[in-house]
Amino acid sequence: MTSLERRYRRLLVRWYPAEHRALHEEEMIAVLVAGAEPGRRRPGVRDTFDLVRGGLAIRVRRGAGAQWRAAVDAAALLVPVALLLTALARAAMFGAATWQRPFVADEFPQFLRMLTYALPYAVVVVLAWRGKAGAAALCAWAYALVTPGVRGWVNASFTSSVTGDGVLLIGGVPFDFGGMAISALPLVLCGAMLLLAPSPGPGPLGGRRLLWWMAVLLGAAAAGAAVSSRWAYPPMWALAVVAAGLALRSPVGRRALVVLLPMVGVYVGGLPGAGYLLNAVLLSVLAVVVLGVTAWMARVAGQGAGAVKKGTNRSLNGW
């Protein structure tokens, strides 16, 4: 074995997976040695760079790339599921509160309206579950236009004025741009994640398992609301933390939790005392960074095998 061949083998051992070397190492070494100039004792800079890049691309494609794709797909479905469960828990909390008080005729239509507000989330969940990411994203973004902050604007009298200190009044009521942004942000993020997901759906979560967890979380919210209207959310969030702990046990689960970081930030309310507008900006920046990196890992890195150039690279490209 020449010193050049020995150094090439060291590069392959250092950067390429063992199963890949078992199949292709001898052929790769033969091509590399045959393409080297006579008398060369060390790999050239170009060959070294191409081998390192090719090894990293294969590792990403075979390992992290597939795991990130599964994680983005799972997170894209979990976000509308969480929004749906939150809306249903809010309706359960209101229903339990009205049940514990003397009957008021106007409260029942309001309860029905709260259930109606949850229907678009259900539509998004069904579309995402069936892999119709584009339609689900459009539905999420359309509903973002009628979230509570914007809905109050649309239902106002459309008469606007600006006070001396620069406060915008809609129908005589101060209009909170920050509140509107923070209320629409979950649906905006939901639509973005659906479009970034290669193929959203239950995937490794399993359809039955996800339905079971949805039923358990909603049942916990209903049981808590039956005790007290203030106890609708705590049992559901406690179970969600348990589910997150179980997710940490798998590579895909850990990556899915990373993808969900912007949405977790929305649910916890952002930075305490920062205000709606600043928190909307900060959470949007976080979402751009996290979703941008994870989308690259899921799509670009997941496809990345083209790591070698012409000549020697063309011979190695199939590996």
Side-chain angles (χ1 to χ4, degrees):
M1 184 185 300
T2 64
S3 60
L4 178 62
E5 180 181 346
R6 185 164 52 250
R7 289 185 171 94
Y8 274 133
R9 289 188 185 277
R10 287 176 184 171
L11 284 172
L12 295 180
V13 170
R14 182 174 299 175
W15 295 105
Y16 284 78
E19 64 274 12
H20 184 86
R21 297 197 312 273
L23 294 173
H24 303 295
E25 182 173 357
E26 297 304 323
E27 186 179 358
M28 294 174 73
I29 291 294
V31 172
L32 289 165
V33 172
E37 299 89 345
R40 176 176 286 278
R41 302 182 59 185
R42 296 177 179 275
V45 174
R46 176 177 294 182
D47 286 349
T48 301
F49 175 75
D50 289 334
L51 284 173
V52 171
R53 188 171 60 168
L56 288 175
I58 289 173
R59 288 184 182 276
V60 170
R61 187 178 74 252
R62 292 189 175 184
Q67 292 169 357
W68 278 110
R69 286 197 299 275
V72 173
D73 286 341
L77 178 60
L78 288 175
V79 168
V81 165
L83 294 174
L84 172 62
L85 292 178
T86 302
L88 292 176
R90 187 181 298 116
M93 182 172 60
F94 178 81
T98 57
W99 182 267
Q100 296 166 4
R101 297 194 303 261
F103 178 75
V104 178
D106 291 340
E107 290 181 337
F108 183 68
Q110 187 173 351
F111 173 71
L112 293 180
R113 282 198 299 271
M114 296 185 73
L115 289 178
T116 303
Y117 294 153
L119 287 179
Y121 297 123
V123 173
V124 175
V125 169
V126 171
L127 290 173
W129 200 298
R130 299 184 60 185
K132 300 183 182 298
L138 287 177
C139 183
W141 286 336
Y143 193 43
L145 297 177
V146 289
T147 49
V150 183
R151 189 164 53 242
W153 189 8
V154 173
N155 293 336
S157 61
F158 293 96
T159 59
S160 62
S161 60
V162 180
T163 63
D165 55 0
V167 176
L168 176 65
L169 300 179
I170 303 294
V173 178
F175 183 70
D176 186 0
F177 288 99
M180 182 191 75
I182 205 70
S183 63
L185 186 58
L187 282 163
V188 174
L189 290 179
C190 177
M193 293 176 68
L194 285 165
L195 287 185
L196 292 174
S199 54
L205 295 172
R208 291 184 179 179
R209 183 186 302 173
L210 183 56
L211 285 174
W212 184 88
W213 272 104
M214 291 174 63
V216 169
L217 289 170
L218 189 57
V227 176
S228 172
S229 60
R230 294 175 296 180
W231 279 90
Y233 290 126
M236 188 169 67
W237 298 142
L239 285 173
V241 171
V242 172
L246 295 175
L248 289 172
R249 299 167 58 184
S250 72
V252 173
R254 290 192 292 270
R255 286 166 171 79
L257 292 178
V258 172
V259 183
L260 291 170
L261 278 178
M263 189 60 64
V264 173
V266 172
Y267 269 99
V268 300
L271 292 177
Y276 286 142
L277 187 57
L278 179 58
N279 271 320
V281 173
L282 293 175
L283 290 170
S284 298
V285 172
L286 175 64
V288 169
V289 173
V290 171
L291 297 184
V293 172
T294 55
W296 181 84
M297 292 296 294
R299 294 197 173 189
V300 179
Q303 300 167 359
V308 280
K309 300 180 181 178
K310 297 180 180 179
T312 302
N313 303 349
R314 184 179 302 151
S315 302
L316 299 178
N317 195 40
W319 301 320

